[in-house]
Amino acid sequence: MSNSENPQETLPGTQAAPEAGAAAASAAAPETTDSLPSLEEQLRQVELKATEHYDAWLRAKAETENVRRRAQEDIAKAHKFSIEKFAGELLAVKDSLEAALASQEQTVESLHAGVELTLKQLVAAFDKSGLKELNPAGEKFDPHKHQAIGMVESDQEANTVVTVLQKGYLIADRVLRPALVMVAKAKD
């Protein structure tokens, strides 16, 4: 048999006839088509994922709103009840003052002793609540913590607190009330 007698026969290393290649490709095509999902199936899967993502987004949004609402409620409660601890400490002071006034037989000494005990209770309440007394006698004048009422000539260094007219108070290093003071000025 020669090459001319059987035209469909191919030699090794040469390409097959186009009809044979097309037949092989069409036979292989159904296999690849079966392994890939159809467009409708892909669309359905994408829609399911979109629905899942939308649901997750809605849940996250709702959770964020709940956290925001709870935080606002906590802040409102903190403002409303922030003084509760300090008020509880002051109740003992009020009770002591009422007991002193209710006593029929009072002497100056017993009244003085009662007032001293009541003052100790008040100072203890201030300490527990972080309220610090500011008594700057002899210290350098600080306009952030002191309010100068006037200046007086003194042997002390200039801008030194000579007299404290009214004590100041701090809450956690924040001035609640500045101390009213007289400040030294240099002698002429």
Side-chain angles (χ1 to χ4, degrees), residues 81-95 121-122 124-126 128-129:
F81 300 113
S82 63
I83 198 164
E84 182 176 15
K85 180 181 173 189
F86 184 64
E89 297 293 330
L90 288 181
L91 290 177
V93 176
K94 182 180 182 290
D95 292 341
Q121 287 178 327
L122 185 61
F126 283 2
K128 287 180 183 177
S129 299

mmCIF file with all atom_site columns, all heavy atoms in Angstrom, residues 81-95 121-122 124-126 128-129:
data_model
loop_
_atom_site.group_PDB
_atom_site.id
_atom_site.type_symbol
_atom_site.label_atom_id
_atom_site.label_alt_id
_atom_site.label_comp_id
_atom_site.label_asym_id
_atom_site.label_entity_id
_atom_site.label_seq_id
_atom_site.pdbx_PDB_ins_code
_atom_site.Cartn_x
_atom_site.Cartn_y
_atom_site.Cartn_z
_atom_site.occupancy
_atom_site.B_iso_or_equiv
_atom_site.pdbx_formal_charge
_atom_site.auth_seq_id
_atom_site.auth_comp_id
_atom_site.auth_asym_id
_atom_site.auth_atom_id
_atom_site.pdbx_PDB_model_num
ATOM 1   N N   . PHE A 1 81  ? -26.207 58.080 87.715  1.00 0.00 ? 81  PHE A N   1
ATOM 2   C CA  . PHE A 1 81  ? -25.811 57.496 88.989  1.00 0.00 ? 81  PHE A CA  1
ATOM 3   C C   . PHE A 1 81  ? -24.345 57.733 89.347  1.00 0.00 ? 81  PHE A C   1
ATOM 4   O O   . PHE A 1 81  ? -23.834 57.087 90.253  1.00 0.00 ? 81  PHE A O   1
ATOM 5   C CB  . PHE A 1 81  ? -26.104 55.994 88.969  1.00 0.00 ? 81  PHE A CB  1
ATOM 6   C CG  . PHE A 1 81  ? -27.557 55.680 88.763  1.00 0.00 ? 81  PHE A CG  1
ATOM 7   C CD1 . PHE A 1 81  ? -27.985 55.066 87.605  1.00 0.00 ? 81  PHE A CD1 1
ATOM 8   C CD2 . PHE A 1 81  ? -28.498 56.017 89.719  1.00 0.00 ? 81  PHE A CD2 1
ATOM 9   C CE1 . PHE A 1 81  ? -29.327 54.782 87.401  1.00 0.00 ? 81  PHE A CE1 1
ATOM 10  C CE2 . PHE A 1 81  ? -29.840 55.730 89.526  1.00 0.00 ? 81  PHE A CE2 1
ATOM 11  C CZ  . PHE A 1 81  ? -30.256 55.114 88.369  1.00 0.00 ? 81  PHE A CZ  1
ATOM 12  N N   . SER A 1 82  ? -23.683 58.649 88.673  1.00 0.00 ? 82  SER A N   1
ATOM 13  C CA  . SER A 1 82  ? -22.267 58.877 88.939  1.00 0.00 ? 82  SER A CA  1
ATOM 14  C C   . SER A 1 82  ? -22.007 59.394 90.341  1.00 0.00 ? 82  SER A C   1
ATOM 15  O O   . SER A 1 82  ? -20.953 59.143 90.916  1.00 0.00 ? 82  SER A O   1
ATOM 16  C CB  . SER A 1 82  ? -21.684 59.840 87.911  1.00 0.00 ? 82  SER A CB  1
ATOM 17  O OG  . SER A 1 82  ? -22.316 61.099 88.013  1.00 0.00 ? 82  SER A OG  1
ATOM 18  N N   . ILE A 1 83  ? -22.922 60.081 90.926  1.00 0.00 ? 83  ILE A N   1
ATOM 19  C CA  . ILE A 1 83  ? -22.747 60.655 92.246  1.00 0.00 ? 83  ILE A CA  1
ATOM 20  C C   . ILE A 1 83  ? -23.207 59.706 93.355  1.00 0.00 ? 83  ILE A C   1
ATOM 21  O O   . ILE A 1 83  ? -23.092 60.013 94.537  1.00 0.00 ? 83  ILE A O   1
ATOM 22  C CB  . ILE A 1 83  ? -23.483 62.013 92.328  1.00 0.00 ? 83  ILE A CB  1
ATOM 23  C CG1 . ILE A 1 83  ? -22.982 62.821 93.493  1.00 0.00 ? 83  ILE A CG1 1
ATOM 24  C CG2 . ILE A 1 83  ? -24.970 61.811 92.353  1.00 0.00 ? 83  ILE A CG2 1
ATOM 25  C CD1 . ILE A 1 83  ? -23.341 64.269 93.442  1.00 0.00 ? 83  ILE A CD1 1
ATOM 26  N N   . GLU A 1 84  ? -23.683 58.536 92.999  1.00 0.00 ? 84  GLU A N   1
ATOM 27  C CA  . GLU A 1 84  ? -24.262 57.607 93.958  1.00 0.00 ? 84  GLU A CA  1
ATOM 28  C C   . GLU A 1 84  ? -23.287 57.252 95.088  1.00 0.00 ? 84  GLU A C   1
ATOM 29  O O   . GLU A 1 84  ? -23.655 57.272 96.261  1.00 0.00 ? 84  GLU A O   1
ATOM 30  C CB  . GLU A 1 84  ? -24.699 56.332 93.234  1.00 0.00 ? 84  GLU A CB  1
ATOM 31  C CG  . GLU A 1 84  ? -25.357 55.318 94.123  1.00 0.00 ? 84  GLU A CG  1
ATOM 32  C CD  . GLU A 1 84  ? -25.847 54.120 93.334  1.00 0.00 ? 84  GLU A CD  1
ATOM 33  O OE1 . GLU A 1 84  ? -25.442 53.935 92.170  1.00 0.00 ? 84  GLU A OE1 1
ATOM 34  O OE2 . GLU A 1 84  ? -26.637 53.354 93.890  1.00 0.00 ? 84  GLU A OE2 1
ATOM 35  N N   . LYS A 1 85  ? -22.035 56.944 94.754  1.00 0.00 ? 85  LYS A N   1
ATOM 36  C CA  . LYS A 1 85  ? -21.057 56.557 95.769  1.00 0.00 ? 85  LYS A CA  1
ATOM 37  C C   . LYS A 1 85  ? -20.804 57.720 96.737  1.00 0.00 ? 85  LYS A C   1
ATOM 38  O O   . LYS A 1 85  ? -20.797 57.536 97.952  1.00 0.00 ? 85  LYS A O   1
ATOM 39  C CB  . LYS A 1 85  ? -19.756 56.135 95.092  1.00 0.00 ? 85  LYS A CB  1
ATOM 40  C CG  . LYS A 1 85  ? -18.677 55.705 96.050  1.00 0.00 ? 85  LYS A CG  1
ATOM 41  C CD  . LYS A 1 85  ? -17.416 55.334 95.309  1.00 0.00 ? 85  LYS A CD  1
ATOM 42  C CE  . LYS A 1 85  ? -16.295 55.068 96.283  1.00 0.00 ? 85  LYS A CE  1
ATOM 43  N NZ  . LYS A 1 85  ? -15.009 54.912 95.616  1.00 0.00 ? 85  LYS A NZ  1
ATOM 44  N N   . PHE A 1 86  ? -20.595 58.904 96.190  1.00 0.00 ? 86  PHE A N   1
ATOM 45  C CA  . PHE A 1 86  ? -20.329 60.074 97.023  1.00 0.00 ? 86  PHE A CA  1
ATOM 46  C C   . PHE A 1 86  ? -21.544 60.410 97.892  1.00 0.00 ? 86  PHE A C   1
ATOM 47  O O   . PHE A 1 86  ? -21.416 60.727 99.073  1.00 0.00 ? 86  PHE A O   1
ATOM 48  C CB  . PHE A 1 86  ? -19.953 61.268 96.141  1.00 0.00 ? 86  PHE A CB  1
ATOM 49  C CG  . PHE A 1 86  ? -19.579 62.498 96.904  1.00 0.00 ? 86  PHE A CG  1
ATOM 50  C CD1 . PHE A 1 86  ? -18.471 62.515 97.728  1.00 0.00 ? 86  PHE A CD1 1
ATOM 51  C CD2 . PHE A 1 86  ? -20.334 63.653 96.796  1.00 0.00 ? 86  PHE A CD2 1
ATOM 52  C CE1 . PHE A 1 86  ? -18.112 63.654 98.434  1.00 0.00 ? 86  PHE A CE1 1
ATOM 53  C CE2 . PHE A 1 86  ? -19.992 64.790 97.494  1.00 0.00 ? 86  PHE A CE2 1
ATOM 54  C CZ  . PHE A 1 86  ? -18.878 64.794 98.314  1.00 0.00 ? 86  PHE A CZ  1
ATOM 55  N N   . ALA A 1 87  ? -22.724 60.311 97.321  1.00 0.00 ? 87  ALA A N   1
ATOM 56  C CA  . ALA A 1 87  ? -23.946 60.587 98.084  1.00 0.00 ? 87  ALA A CA  1
ATOM 57  C C   . ALA A 1 87  ? -24.095 59.601 99.240  1.00 0.00 ? 87  ALA A C   1
ATOM 58  O O   . ALA A 1 87  ? -24.501 59.981 100.347 1.00 0.00 ? 87  ALA A O   1
ATOM 59  C CB  . ALA A 1 87  ? -25.168 60.525 97.169  1.00 0.00 ? 87  ALA A CB  1
ATOM 60  N N   . GLY A 1 88  ? -23.752 58.350 99.008  1.00 0.00 ? 88  GLY A N   1
ATOM 61  C CA  . GLY A 1 88  ? -23.806 57.352 100.072 1.00 0.00 ? 88  GLY A CA  1
ATOM 62  C C   . GLY A 1 88  ? -22.854 57.689 101.210 1.00 0.00 ? 88  GLY A C   1
ATOM 63  O O   . GLY A 1 88  ? -23.172 57.494 102.395 1.00 0.00 ? 88  GLY A O   1
ATOM 64  N N   . GLU A 1 89  ? -21.686 58.210 100.880 1.00 0.00 ? 89  GLU A N   1
ATOM 65  C CA  . GLU A 1 89  ? -20.710 58.624 101.902 1.00 0.00 ? 89  GLU A CA  1
ATOM 66  C C   . GLU A 1 89  ? -21.230 59.819 102.702 1.00 0.00 ? 89  GLU A C   1
ATOM 67  O O   . GLU A 1 89  ? -20.977 59.930 103.901 1.00 0.00 ? 89  GLU A O   1
ATOM 68  C CB  . GLU A 1 89  ? -19.369 58.961 101.253 1.00 0.00 ? 89  GLU A CB  1
ATOM 69  C CG  . GLU A 1 89  ? -18.693 57.808 100.567 1.00 0.00 ? 89  GLU A CG  1
ATOM 70  C CD  . GLU A 1 89  ? -18.233 56.731 101.533 1.00 0.00 ? 89  GLU A CD  1
ATOM 71  O OE1 . GLU A 1 89  ? -17.915 57.050 102.690 1.00 0.00 ? 89  GLU A OE1 1
ATOM 72  O OE2 . GLU A 1 89  ? -18.207 55.555 101.115 1.00 0.00 ? 89  GLU A OE2 1
ATOM 73  N N   . LEU A 1 90  ? -21.948 60.703 102.056 1.00 0.00 ? 90  LEU A N   1
ATOM 74  C CA  . LEU A 1 90  ? -22.458 61.899 102.742 1.00 0.00 ? 90  LEU A CA  1
ATOM 75  C C   . LEU A 1 90  ? -23.634 61.602 103.666 1.00 0.00 ? 90  LEU A C   1
ATOM 76  O O   . LEU A 1 90  ? -23.940 62.393 104.552 1.00 0.00 ? 90  LEU A O   1
ATOM 77  C CB  . LEU A 1 90  ? -22.866 62.969 101.726 1.00 0.00 ? 90  LEU A CB  1
ATOM 78  C CG  . LEU A 1 90  ? -21.716 63.666 101.011 1.00 0.00 ? 90  LEU A CG  1
ATOM 79  C CD1 . LEU A 1 90  ? -22.263 64.715 100.051 1.00 0.00 ? 90  LEU A CD1 1
ATOM 80  C CD2 . LEU A 1 90  ? -20.750 64.305 101.982 1.00 0.00 ? 90  LEU A CD2 1
ATOM 81  N N   . LEU A 1 91  ? -24.294 60.477 103.473 1.00 0.00 ? 91  LEU A N   1
ATOM 82  C CA  . LEU A 1 91  ? -25.428 60.143 104.340 1.00 0.00 ? 91  LEU A CA  1
ATOM 83  C C   . LEU A 1 91  ? -24.992 60.019 105.803 1.00 0.00 ? 91  LEU A C   1
ATOM 84  O O   . LEU A 1 91  ? -25.719 60.442 106.714 1.00 0.00 ? 91  LEU A O   1
ATOM 85  C CB  . LEU A 1 91  ? -26.092 58.852 103.874 1.00 0.00 ? 91  LEU A CB  1
ATOM 86  C CG  . LEU A 1 91  ? -26.849 58.945 102.549 1.00 0.00 ? 91  LEU A CG  1
ATOM 87  C CD1 . LEU A 1 91  ? -27.403 57.580 102.161 1.00 0.00 ? 91  LEU A CD1 1
ATOM 88  C CD2 . LEU A 1 91  ? -27.942 59.985 102.606 1.00 0.00 ? 91  LEU A CD2 1
ATOM 89  N N   . ALA A 1 92  ? -23.817 59.467 106.051 1.00 0.00 ? 92  ALA A N   1
ATOM 90  C CA  . ALA A 1 92  ? -23.313 59.348 107.426 1.00 0.00 ? 92  ALA A CA  1
ATOM 91  C C   . ALA A 1 92  ? -23.084 60.723 108.038 1.00 0.00 ? 92  ALA A C   1
ATOM 92  O O   . ALA A 1 92  ? -23.361 60.942 109.229 1.00 0.00 ? 92  ALA A O   1
ATOM 93  C CB  . ALA A 1 92  ? -22.020 58.538 107.444 1.00 0.00 ? 92  ALA A CB  1
ATOM 94  N N   . VAL A 1 93  ? -22.620 61.660 107.252 1.00 0.00 ? 93  VAL A N   1
ATOM 95  C CA  . VAL A 1 93  ? -22.406 63.032 107.734 1.00 0.00 ? 93  VAL A CA  1
ATOM 96  C C   . VAL A 1 93  ? -23.741 63.668 108.101 1.00 0.00 ? 93  VAL A C   1
ATOM 97  O O   . VAL A 1 93  ? -23.888 64.288 109.162 1.00 0.00 ? 93  VAL A O   1
ATOM 98  C CB  . VAL A 1 93  ? -21.664 63.878 106.673 1.00 0.00 ? 93  VAL A CB  1
ATOM 99  C CG1 . VAL A 1 93  ? -21.534 65.327 107.118 1.00 0.00 ? 93  VAL A CG1 1
ATOM 100 C CG2 . VAL A 1 93  ? -20.302 63.276 106.366 1.00 0.00 ? 93  VAL A CG2 1
ATOM 101 N N   . LYS A 1 94  ? -24.732 63.498 107.250 1.00 0.00 ? 94  LYS A N   1
ATOM 102 C CA  . LYS A 1 94  ? -26.061 64.048 107.525 1.00 0.00 ? 94  LYS A CA  1
ATOM 103 C C   . LYS A 1 94  ? -26.654 63.426 108.788 1.00 0.00 ? 94  LYS A C   1
ATOM 104 O O   . LYS A 1 94  ? -27.222 64.137 109.627 1.00 0.00 ? 94  LYS A O   1
ATOM 105 C CB  . LYS A 1 94  ? -26.994 63.796 106.339 1.00 0.00 ? 94  LYS A CB  1
ATOM 106 C CG  . LYS A 1 94  ? -28.383 64.385 106.522 1.00 0.00 ? 94  LYS A CG  1
ATOM 107 C CD  . LYS A 1 94  ? -29.249 64.102 105.314 1.00 0.00 ? 94  LYS A CD  1
ATOM 108 C CE  . LYS A 1 94  ? -30.613 64.707 105.421 1.00 0.00 ? 94  LYS A CE  1
ATOM 109 N NZ  . LYS A 1 94  ? -31.492 64.101 106.392 1.00 0.00 ? 94  LYS A NZ  1
ATOM 110 N N   . ASP A 1 95  ? -26.509 62.114 108.929 1.00 0.00 ? 95  ASP A N   1
ATOM 111 C CA  . ASP A 1 95  ? -27.022 61.437 110.121 1.00 0.00 ? 95  ASP A CA  1
ATOM 112 C C   . ASP A 1 95  ? -26.371 61.998 111.389 1.00 0.00 ? 95  ASP A C   1
ATOM 113 O O   . ASP A 1 95  ? -27.049 62.199 112.406 1.00 0.00 ? 95  ASP A O   1
ATOM 114 C CB  . ASP A 1 95  ? -26.782 59.932 110.032 1.00 0.00 ? 95  ASP A CB  1
ATOM 115 C CG  . ASP A 1 95  ? -27.616 59.267 108.949 1.00 0.00 ? 95  ASP A CG  1
ATOM 116 O OD1 . ASP A 1 95  ? -28.618 59.869 108.518 1.00 0.00 ? 95  ASP A OD1 1
ATOM 117 O OD2 . ASP A 1 95  ? -27.247 58.146 108.535 1.00 0.00 ? 95  ASP A OD2 1
ATOM 118 N N   . GLN A 1 121 ? -15.761 62.595 109.348 1.00 0.00 ? 121 GLN A N   1
ATOM 119 C CA  . GLN A 1 121 ? -16.566 61.784 108.429 1.00 0.00 ? 121 GLN A CA  1
ATOM 120 C C   . GLN A 1 121 ? -16.609 62.420 107.042 1.00 0.00 ? 121 GLN A C   1
ATOM 121 O O   . GLN A 1 121 ? -16.521 61.732 106.025 1.00 0.00 ? 121 GLN A O   1
ATOM 122 C CB  . GLN A 1 121 ? -17.989 61.620 108.959 1.00 0.00 ? 121 GLN A CB  1
ATOM 123 C CG  . GLN A 1 121 ? -18.125 60.690 110.136 1.00 0.00 ? 121 GLN A CG  1
ATOM 124 C CD  . GLN A 1 121 ? -19.564 60.632 110.637 1.00 0.00 ? 121 GLN A CD  1
ATOM 125 O OE1 . GLN A 1 121 ? -20.300 61.625 110.568 1.00 0.00 ? 121 GLN A OE1 1
ATOM 126 N NE2 . GLN A 1 121 ? -19.959 59.464 111.136 1.00 0.00 ? 121 GLN A NE2 1
ATOM 127 N N   . LEU A 1 122 ? -16.738 63.738 107.010 1.00 0.00 ? 122 LEU A N   1
ATOM 128 C CA  . LEU A 1 122 ? -16.797 64.452 105.737 1.00 0.00 ? 122 LEU A CA  1
ATOM 129 C C   . LEU A 1 122 ? -15.465 64.352 104.996 1.00 0.00 ? 122 LEU A C   1
ATOM 130 O O   . LEU A 1 122 ? -15.437 64.095 103.781 1.00 0.00 ? 122 LEU A O   1
ATOM 131 C CB  . LEU A 1 122 ? -17.182 65.920 105.963 1.00 0.00 ? 122 LEU A CB  1
ATOM 132 C CG  . LEU A 1 122 ? -17.399 66.767 104.720 1.00 0.00 ? 122 LEU A CG  1
ATOM 133 C CD1 . LEU A 1 122 ? -18.539 66.214 103.883 1.00 0.00 ? 122 LEU A CD1 1
ATOM 134 C CD2 . LEU A 1 122 ? -17.678 68.209 105.112 1.00 0.00 ? 122 LEU A CD2 1
ATOM 135 N N   . ALA A 1 124 ? -13.284 61.988 105.321 1.00 0.00 ? 124 ALA A N   1
ATOM 136 C CA  . ALA A 1 124 ? -13.176 60.594 104.869 1.00 0.00 ? 124 ALA A CA  1
ATOM 137 C C   . ALA A 1 124 ? -13.997 60.370 103.598 1.00 0.00 ? 124 ALA A C   1
ATOM 138 O O   . ALA A 1 124 ? -13.552 59.676 102.670 1.00 0.00 ? 124 ALA A O   1
ATOM 139 C CB  . ALA A 1 124 ? -13.626 59.636 105.967 1.00 0.00 ? 124 ALA A CB  1
ATOM 140 N N   . ALA A 1 125 ? -15.185 60.961 103.540 1.00 0.00 ? 125 ALA A N   1
ATOM 141 C CA  . ALA A 1 125 ? -16.023 60.849 102.335 1.00 0.00 ? 125 ALA A CA  1
ATOM 142 C C   . ALA A 1 125 ? -15.327 61.504 101.150 1.00 0.00 ? 125 ALA A C   1
ATOM 143 O O   . ALA A 1 125 ? -15.348 60.974 100.032 1.00 0.00 ? 125 ALA A O   1
ATOM 144 C CB  . ALA A 1 125 ? -17.390 61.480 102.573 1.00 0.00 ? 125 ALA A CB  1
ATOM 145 N N   . PHE A 1 126 ? -14.692 62.657 101.370 1.00 0.00 ? 126 PHE A N   1
ATOM 146 C CA  . PHE A 1 126 ? -13.956 63.346 100.303 1.00 0.00 ? 126 PHE A CA  1
ATOM 147 C C   . PHE A 1 126 ? -12.808 62.458 99.809  1.00 0.00 ? 126 PHE A C   1
ATOM 148 O O   . PHE A 1 126 ? -12.601 62.314 98.607  1.00 0.00 ? 126 PHE A O   1
ATOM 149 C CB  . PHE A 1 126 ? -13.405 64.677 100.786 1.00 0.00 ? 126 PHE A CB  1
ATOM 150 C CG  . PHE A 1 126 ? -14.428 65.789 100.873 1.00 0.00 ? 126 PHE A CG  1
ATOM 151 C CD1 . PHE A 1 126 ? -15.766 65.588 100.572 1.00 0.00 ? 126 PHE A CD1 1
ATOM 152 C CD2 . PHE A 1 126 ? -14.035 67.057 101.269 1.00 0.00 ? 126 PHE A CD2 1
ATOM 153 C CE1 . PHE A 1 126 ? -16.682 66.613 100.653 1.00 0.00 ? 126 PHE A CE1 1
ATOM 154 C CE2 . PHE A 1 126 ? -14.953 68.089 101.346 1.00 0.00 ? 126 PHE A CE2 1
ATOM 155 C CZ  . PHE A 1 126 ? -16.281 67.874 101.040 1.00 0.00 ? 126 PHE A CZ  1
ATOM 156 N N   . LYS A 1 128 ? -12.437 59.174 99.970  1.00 0.00 ? 128 LYS A N   1
ATOM 157 C CA  . LYS A 1 128 ? -12.934 57.998 99.257  1.00 0.00 ? 128 LYS A CA  1
ATOM 158 C C   . LYS A 1 128 ? -13.409 58.351 97.844  1.00 0.00 ? 128 LYS A C   1
ATOM 159 O O   . LYS A 1 128 ? -13.344 57.528 96.938  1.00 0.00 ? 128 LYS A O   1
ATOM 160 C CB  . LYS A 1 128 ? -14.078 57.341 100.020 1.00 0.00 ? 128 LYS A CB  1
ATOM 161 C CG  . LYS A 1 128 ? -13.630 56.609 101.263 1.00 0.00 ? 128 LYS A CG  1
ATOM 162 C CD  . LYS A 1 128 ? -14.815 55.984 101.978 1.00 0.00 ? 128 LYS A CD  1
ATOM 163 C CE  . LYS A 1 128 ? -14.395 55.301 103.260 1.00 0.00 ? 128 LYS A CE  1
ATOM 164 N NZ  . LYS A 1 128 ? -15.554 54.755 103.990 1.00 0.00 ? 128 LYS A NZ  1
ATOM 165 N N   . SER A 1 129 ? -13.876 59.570 97.675  1.00 0.00 ? 129 SER A N   1
ATOM 166 C CA  . SER A 1 129 ? -14.408 59.991 96.378  1.00 0.00 ? 129 SER A CA  1
ATOM 167 C C   . SER A 1 129 ? -13.371 60.687 95.500  1.00 0.00 ? 129 SER A C   1
ATOM 168 O O   . SER A 1 129 ? -13.698 61.139 94.412  1.00 0.00 ? 129 SER A O   1
ATOM 169 C CB  . SER A 1 129 ? -15.604 60.916 96.582  1.00 0.00 ? 129 SER A CB  1
ATOM 170 O OG  . SER A 1 129 ? -16.616 60.226 97.284  1.00 0.00 ? 129 SER A OG  1
#
